[in-house]
Amino acid sequence: MPGSRSRRVIPLLPQARLAATKESEPRFRSPPPLSLYVHIPWCVQKCPYCDFNSHSLQVASTTMPAAIPESDYLAALVADLESALPLVWGRRIDSVFFGGGTPSLLSGAGLDQLLAALRSRLPFLPGAEITLEANPGTVEAARFAAFRDAGINRLSLGIQSFNPQHLKALGRIHDDHEARRAITIAASHFDNFNLDLMYGLPGQTLAEALADLDAALAFSPPHLSCYQLTIEANTAFAARPPALPEDDLCADMQDAIEARLAAAGYLHYETSAFARPGRQCQHNLNYWHFGDYLGIGAGAHGKLTLHDRVLRQMRWKGPEQYLAQVAAGMPVQEEFAVAAADLPFEFMLNALRLIQGFDAPLFESRTALSLLSIEGKLRQAEQEGLIERRRQRIAPSEHGRRFLNRLLVSFLADAG
């Protein structure tokens, strides 16, 4: 009779395999916020400290290279996005960031067409933060107005220094006058902009570092990024290292910069980021909160959360190769799923950049793991006095907090 027999469901996998799968694979209830990163890989010339995927135009003008017309690269970006749509169906874009390279080399008309194409394929959050990086040496008032009209609502200017000697040492194409002019033009078109500054420059003194900061503060920027020059592998500086200030002097620079910015009313919310209240960079906050980002363009990286895994991707690096691979329908050069055991490490690597740390629910939603899953490792570190000994020595300073963050991340990685 109907209902007299018990129904048995046969699993698609053996029971032992199912149990192992449940333990080893994360299960995400909902994806995190999604950002879009767009990479523009050209600069007028390559800076000697830069290890980003950027390529010199090797010409005196500020036009896109004749070998790859702007229209061809923009069309490739749209095709790249279209190939990735199945991975992000039904999700909206919370922020957009045009990085490089020097995105301000794009024409206003080209950027307008690109943003229209992006919006027609993915829904943008109303009022989404849309940032474009700009080099002061490529600034034109008409171009900035066109960028604003196209939909850019946040600008990030790579000032680095106002000292002509230091700008020359850094290989920058702008001088101090062009830096000030660029900020003035940016402020006339954008009420939200960032200024990048560097310290620990070749031959730099503490007074010179603070003079750069004071020059920037004179423009009342909503956001400042202040970071120490470091020598990265595969750069001109790595091949021919300049003489940099001693570590103690760089530490004094950082402490003095933080104190001056605090006195000026800036919130220090991330290792090298300072903002007026409400002006924190939403795109970068999504990175540090271990959110998702789709990266398109030559060499762009991405992180996407699916229902059962976190996927990392990298596009082909060389612009010519990227265009060829996009045309072949294969823009992704590398793709892999992050192992569940590595998710705590990757989360900490990002979240511990934030000065205020993070809440347990954020860890759990971004990794599909309970914070209790790493409690044993944290307790072991505490019992061994590993963290407390360092805290007593160095925690009061920002250098101390950064050291503790690196220590915790390193411990989690070793213990895992």
Side-chain angles (χ1 to χ4, degrees), residues 341-342 377 410-416:
D342 292 335
K377 299 173 185 177
S410 175
F411 183 84
L412 289 170
D414 293 341

Side-chain angles (χ1 to χ4, degrees), residues 90-261:
R91 300 179 65 179
R92 72 180 186 187
I93 298 298
D94 283 25
S95 65
V96 183
F97 197 100
F98 291 88
T102 306
S104 55
L105 290 173
L106 290 173
S107 68
L111 185 63
D112 185 41
Q113 294 170 10
L114 177 58
L115 270 170
L118 299 179
R119 288 180 182 276
S120 70
R121 287 160 176 81
L122 280 175
F124 283 23
L125 174 73
E129 177 190 272
I130 305 178
T131 302
L132 181 133
E133 289 184 331
N135 187 322
T138 64
V139 167
E140 300 173 11
R143 184 175 292 183
F144 271 26
F147 292 159
R148 188 69 181 88
D149 291 342
I152 301 298
N153 54 30
R154 184 176 183 271
L155 205 70
S156 182
L157 279 172
I159 301 299
Q160 315 313 353
S161 176
F162 293 90
N163 186 307
Q165 179 181 347
H166 295 149
L167 288 171
K168 183 177 180 180
L170 291 174
R172 304 295 289 174
I173 65 170
H174 67 274
D175 60 25
D176 56 318
H177 300 294
E178 289 174 311
R180 290 180 169 84
R181 175 176 176 270
I183 300 172
T184 300
I185 295 174
S188 69
H189 293 287
F190 300 90
D191 62 357
N192 193 10
F193 62 93
N194 167 67
L195 303 181
D196 273 351
L197 292 180
M198 299 175 72
Y199 63 90
L201 307 180
Q204 189 179 43
T205 65
L206 174 60
E208 288 172 335
L210 289 177
D212 276 346
L213 180 61
D214 288 340
L217 288 174
F219 293 93
S220 300
H223 192 284
L224 277 162
S225 297
C226 301
Y227 50 95
Q228 182 180 339
L229 171 64
T230 55
I231 305 300
E232 304 291 349
N234 302 315
T235 63
F237 273 178
R240 297 176 298 279
L244 300 181
E246 296 292 333
D247 288 346
D248 286 347
L249 177 54
C250 289
D252 290 342
M253 291 179 184
Q254 179 171 340
D255 290 341
I257 288 170
E258 291 174 4
R260 189 155 298 186
L261 283 170

Side-chain angles (χ1 to χ4, degrees), residues 95 97 129 154 269 281-289:
S95 65
F97 197 100
E129 177 190 272
R154 184 176 183 271
Y269 70 99
C281 177
Q282 298 306 305
H283 187 88
N284 285 344
L285 277 175
N286 192 40
Y287 288 156
W288 301 321
H289 287 146

Side-chain angles (χ1 to χ4, degrees), residues 37-42 52-54 73 77 97-101 296-300:
Y37 175 78
V38 184
H39 192 74
I40 309 300
W42 291 285
F52 295 157
N53 182 39
S54 59
Y73 189 74
L77 289 173
F97 197 100
F98 291 88
I296 61 173

